[in-house]
Amino acid sequence: MDVSEIIIPGDTPGTEWRLPVLRFTGRDPKAPKTYIQAALHAGELPGTALLHFLCERLRQAESEGKIAGDITIVPQANPIGAAQSHFGELQGRFDLGSRTNFNRDFPLISIADRAELIENIDDYPAIDRLKRQLLHMALGADLVLDLHCDDESLQYAYIDEAFWPEAADLAAALDMKAVLLSDGESSAFEEAVGFAWKYQIPGERRSRLPGKLSVTVELRGKRDVDPVLAKKDADGLWHFLGARGIVSGAMATAAAFSGPAVPLDNVEIIRAPEGGAVLFHRSIGERIAAGDLLATIVTRPGQPGGSIDLHSPQDGLILTRTSDRLVRRRGDLMKIACDNPSKASRKAGTLEN
């Protein structure tokens, strides 16, 4: 295993960020190349724990000559966000300087322009240098996994329709409970990777990308940083790499993916109509029917009519739930994967900021 660091100078004198990169060299130049990163939202650590245990297996495999395709791993992809604390609370989702989500505004380019990502890179602020370095590394691979987590959540993934159903093997290996299918046209990291591949010829969009994969994996919730879960997920990813011919000696034992795979339009986001204390009646993993009571918002405690009941707009599977119990007006409470499109109006692209 080769360990190096990308140094990202800060935007003020005397500061810099260090981005560790772990590389395993494959023995077969024709085998697929893999790029995996975790903690792009710096406080989302289940993926970092997974990669810690996966690297143990990869080091052993490397010593035995069992790695066929090059593997690049960035276990802590956002040192800038990891250093942002406000009154003792980590602020790893948004850059405090630009107020931009660390997983938005990645450059949308053709793969033919990959080299331009790091040309004159010192002309950019630190957050953009970080994004350009990450995207440049990812576009050197065939399989790209961006490991995230949600708040309170099942295991699920965002996958561009261009990679489905071929990516069902990853969903099965990681025991995902659902897959959310997107059109791949946002500026999030995994969609920027897919964009570069789809527009290999500028202006001409490819609808299928055989042999490629770019996916955002949601590894349960923020508090699910656990050695047992991390080792289980590392085993699943190891078997996926084996099934794709990237490592040898991994037995593919995962059952076929059987969860729902629904378009983003079929995701109901339950939001708080007013601020207050939220009392949940249903939890993640439960299948609910239209009209079921999901939550009560206590808006004026102790007063007549001081609460609001929220009901399910349609049948579905509860994927996520907020861990906050004091919620703001229009705050997200739940995501529900459904068979039919939501009637709620929302912007195209990603579900949340």
Side-chain angles (χ1 to χ4, degrees):
M1 180 179 75
D2 175 71
V3 180
S4 61
E5 287 185 328
I6 295 174
I7 297 175
I8 300 172
D11 296 329
T12 56
T15 61
E16 67 179 21
W17 315 107
R18 293 177 178 268
L19 184 70
V21 180
L22 316 181
R23 290 185 172 89
F24 298 86
T25 301
R27 53 180 169 73
D28 181 0
K30 296 182 179 179
K33 295 179 172 60
T34 305
Y35 174 86
I36 311 172
Q37 70 179 28
L40 181 56
H41 290 143
E44 298 179 359
L45 297 177
T48 299
L50 180 164
L51 292 177
H52 176 71
F53 291 110
L54 178 65
C55 284
E56 289 183 356
R57 302 194 73 158
L58 291 175
R59 287 194 296 271
Q60 180 66 28
E62 187 178 48
S63 70
E64 297 171 356
K66 292 182 178 179
I67 295 181
D70 293 351
I71 302 172
T72 300
I73 291 179
V74 181
Q76 293 177 301
N78 187 0
I80 299 174
Q84 293 185 158
S85 288
H86 186 64
F87 296 119
E89 293 290 334
L90 177 65
Q91 303 293 326
R93 185 175 183 86
F94 295 92
D95 173 50
L96 295 183
S98 65
R99 291 177 284 183
T100 302
N101 188 321
F102 282 108
N103 194 24
R104 302 291 184 271
D105 293 349
F106 279 85
L108 299 179
I109 64 165
S110 166
I111 186 66
D113 299 323
R114 177 189 175 218
E116 295 179 8
L117 286 167
I118 56 174
E119 289 181 0
N120 302 315
I121 197 167
D122 289 338
D123 293 343
Y124 296 92
I127 182 175
D128 291 328
R129 290 200 296 271
L130 173 65
K131 290 178 179 181
R132 285 173 170 267
Q133 291 280 11
L134 294 174
L135 186 58
H136 181 265
M137 286 189 287
L139 289 178
D142 304 293
L143 309 178
V144 176
L145 278 66
D146 190 15
L147 306 182
H148 288 254
C149 69
D150 214 299
D151 207 346
E152 295 177 5
S153 177
L154 300 180
Q155 193 116 307
Y156 71 101
Y158 292 95
I159 300 180
D160 188 327
E161 293 168 345
F163 306 116
W164 191 259
E166 291 82 359
D169 59 343
L170 176 66
L174 286 176
D175 194 24
M176 293 178 191
K177 305 307 180 186
V179 166
L180 305 184
L181 300 173
S182 74
D183 62 7
E185 295 295 315
S186 84
S187 62
F189 173 80
E190 51 99 357
E191 296 197 343
V193 172
F195 185 98
W197 292 335
K198 283 186 283 188
Y199 291 93
Q200 182 173 2
I201 300 175
E204 296 185 16
R205 185 180 188 274
R206 300 167 62 194
S207 60
R208 307 300 299 176
L209 296 165
K212 300 287 190 180
L213 176 62
S214 180
V215 57
T216 292
V217 176
E218 302 284 355
L219 294 165
R220 306 180 191 87
K222 287 184 179 179
R223 295 181 64 86
D224 295 320
V225 185
D226 176 279
V228 174
L229 293 176
K231 289 177 182 178
K232 176 181 181 291
D233 293 337
D235 286 345
L237 198 47
W238 169 259
H239 294 309
F240 166 75
L241 294 174
R244 288 289 182 115
I246 296 153
V247 300
S248 55
M251 299 295 291
T253 57
F257 171 69
S258 59
V262 303
L264 293 186
D265 287 345
N266 288 30
V267 178
E268 296 281 6
I269 300 181
I270 308 301
R271 293 189 168 95
E274 293 186 27
V278 59
L279 311 176
F280 284 114
H281 299 282
R282 307 300 292 264
S283 187
I284 58 172
E286 292 189 51
R287 293 191 175 274
I288 43 90
D292 281 354
L293 178 62
L294 300 176
T296 298
I297 310 295
V298 180
T299 57
R300 296 179 299 282
Q303 301 183 38
S307 64
I308 302 170
D309 288 338
L310 304 179
H311 297 83
S312 176
Q314 60 169 308
D315 299 357
L317 172 69
I318 300 176
L319 281 183
T320 74
R321 197 173 74 169
T322 182
S323 62
D324 294 334
R325 293 301 181 264
L326 178 63
V327 297
R328 300 168 64 89
R329 186 190 303 271
R330 300 299 296 163
D332 294 348
L333 303 179
M334 286 179 166
K335 288 198 286 285
I336 304 172
C338 304
D339 292 334
N340 300 304
S342 170
K343 294 181 180 179
S345 61
R346 61 174 178 247
K347 295 179 181 178
T350 51
L351 293 178
E352 300 162 295
N353 290 330

